[in-house]
């Protein structure tokens, strides 16, 4: 009696459109727990199942699209919840708009897994549903829509087999396999006629992971380089820009005699343009002479030679700036510029959106360090948000970079999940490119990863103010992902196109027969 009444109450709950909507938002948010800081990475392999079960049971296609939208909005809100203090209510608007991208995915789930789906439809779903998810992630990864923060595959940043898959097909291949496993589990538990197909799908996914683990090449190590990371920590109040510079200078002086090859400061570590401040330029050059290595700093200031504010990675040697400079190309929406400011400029009145747009660089740059102690190193800089873009680190690797450096600052989000999420991206980028990455922050989580994506040495937490030295392994060769590019993305788009053609042909045949 108790079981029956509980089942009836559950059935009435799911019959209510409002309760279903609330459950769908919560189910869509569930995968966020697989990302840092919770880092429940294992949850990602089944985290989509509750959401997909709701969508496949939707009474109509329109309802399935709605629940795809609601779940997508819930996912984005959960992954980006730490933006709430900055964007306030505007983050709800953004989540609702971008969540629409999952509406077609909801239609795919219902079409291929819903109703009395047979083995053929479920077998197609094992390919089409993950391909649809990758298509959604591809669209939302466009920098003007917020960029690729929170790609599903990035939740596996500390799992060695997943990192090996990333070296073959990038974070996209990892995401495809994750969604395929979730799809197979849904078939196994809810589609009686196709449970054998679901079980076979799980076995195929396991075989793919095992095959990549056993077959995929690994980077060949080629010596080490000593890199120092300077993390000043939180510096607030009046004169914070100058006091931060003084603290960075103090920490850098402690590196004298440690035979480092490069010293890296975080994003916005220098708050004035060096062309206008010869005193700062001379202090940096003196630091380089004291330490015996070049400094890679980051200048966030209005330029003296060009109009506007730029965020620039600048290499400084014993004689001052070497001429190697990289201007940040991909800016953080609302944080560094407001898209369509004439329409959305009101966001500055309800949050901490940028009052003035930063200017963009035009090309990526590989910097060459001086050939001291036989180490003429090629460094590929990225600034903050850019470490989330797989194509940027891949291009730097193709251009010859031996070491990737990401300069970032998460000072606004110190006590949220953001610092740990950002630092985790270094492991993905290293595994994809076979290039070690130094993730140096002003106030965040600083970390170093080797060419396989494994953490090197000590991670500097958000509470630390320190200078740390790392012996960073280098590697020779080129990863399969760097050579082949985004084949997992193109394959997913091909699967979607073929599915569309088949559906069109079936519709035409039925119409003709009718």
């Amino acid at each position: 009696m108790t079981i029956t009444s509980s089942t009836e109450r559950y059935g009435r709950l799911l019959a209510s459109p409002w309760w279903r909507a609330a459950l769908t938002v919560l189910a869509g948010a569930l995968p966020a727990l697989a990302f840092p800081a919770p880092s429940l990475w294992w949850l990602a392999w089944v985290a989509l199942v509750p959401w997909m079960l709701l969508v496949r049971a939707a009474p109509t296609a329109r309802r399935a699209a709605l629940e795809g939208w609601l779940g997508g909005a819930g996912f984005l809100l959960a992954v980006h919840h730490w933006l709430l203090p900055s964007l306030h209510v505007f983050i709800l608007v953004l989540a609702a708009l971008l969540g629409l991208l999952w509406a077609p995915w909801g239609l795919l789930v219902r079409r291929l897994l819903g109703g009395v789906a047979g083995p053929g439809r479920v077998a197609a779903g094992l390919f089409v549903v993950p391909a649809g998810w990758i298509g959604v992630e591809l669209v939302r990864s466009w920098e003007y829509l917020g960029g690729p923060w929170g790609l599903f595959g990035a939740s596996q940043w500390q799992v060695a087999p997943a990192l090996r898959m990333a070296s073959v097909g990038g974070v996209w291949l990892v995401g495809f396999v994750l969604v395929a496993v979730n799809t197979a589990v849904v078939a196994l538990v809810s589609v009686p006629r196709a449970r054998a197909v679901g079980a076979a799908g799980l076995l195929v996914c396991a075989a793919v992971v095992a095959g990549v683990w056993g077959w995929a090449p690994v980077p060949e190590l080629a010596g080490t380089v000593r890199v120092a990371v300077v993390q000043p920590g939180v510096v607030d109040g009046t004169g914070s820009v100058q006091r931060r510079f003084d603290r960075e200078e103090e920490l850098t002086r402690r590196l004298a005699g440690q035979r480092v090859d490069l010293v890296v400061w975080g994003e916005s570590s220098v708050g004035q343009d060096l062309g206008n401040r010869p005193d700062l330029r001379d202090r940096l050059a003196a630091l380089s002479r004291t330490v015996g290595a070049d400094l890679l700093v980051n200048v966030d200031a209005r330029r003296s030679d060009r109009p506007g504010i730029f965020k620039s990675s600048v290499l400084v040697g014993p004689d001052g700036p070497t001429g190697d400079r990289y201007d940040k190309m991909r800016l953080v929406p609302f944080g560094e510029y407001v898209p369509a400011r004439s329409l959305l400029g009101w966001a500055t009145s309800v949050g901490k959106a940028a009052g003035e747009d930063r200017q963009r660089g035009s090309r990526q740059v590989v910097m060459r360090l001086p050939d001291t102690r036989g180490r003429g190193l090629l460094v590929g800089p990225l600034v903050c948000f850019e470490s989330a873009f797989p194509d940027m680190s891949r291009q730097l690797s193709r251009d010859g970079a031996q070491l990737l450096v990401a300069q970032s600052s998460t000072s606004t989000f110190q006590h949220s999940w953001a610092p740990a999420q950002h630092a985790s991206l270094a492991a993905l980028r290293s595994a994809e490119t076979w290039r070690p990455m130094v993730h140096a922050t002003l106030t965040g989580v600083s970390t170093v990863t080797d060419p396989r994506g494994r953490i090197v040495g000590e991670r500097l937490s958000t509470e630390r103010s320190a200078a740390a030295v790392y012996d960073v392994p280098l590697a020779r060769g080129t990863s399969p992902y760097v050579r082949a590019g985004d084949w997992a993305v193109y394959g997913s788009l091909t699967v979607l196109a073929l599915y569309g053609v088949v559906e069109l042909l079936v519709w035409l045949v039925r119409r003709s027969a009718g």
Side-chain angles (χ1 to χ4, degrees), residues 29-42:
L30 183 62
L33 297 177
F35 294 86
S39 287
L40 304 178
W41 61 266
W42 48 268

Side-chain angles (χ1 to χ4, degrees), residues 21 46 82 172 265 275 329 340 379 396 404 407 409 436 452 481 506:
V46 293
W82 42 269
W172 311 105
W265 289 11
M329 296 171 60
V379 177
L396 288 172
L404 304 176
Q407 298 172 296
S409 170
R452 293 192 185 185
Y481 176 61
V506 169

Side-chain angles (χ1 to χ4, degrees), residues 52-85:
M52 295 174 70
L53 288 175
L54 285 168
V55 174
R56 73 166 295 274
T60 64
R62 182 177 179 180
R63 185 72 197 186
L66 174 63
E67 292 176 354
W69 174 22
L70 292 173
F75 174 73
L76 291 174
L77 275 175
V79 173
H80 297 85
H81 72 276
W82 42 269
L83 285 171
L84 186 59

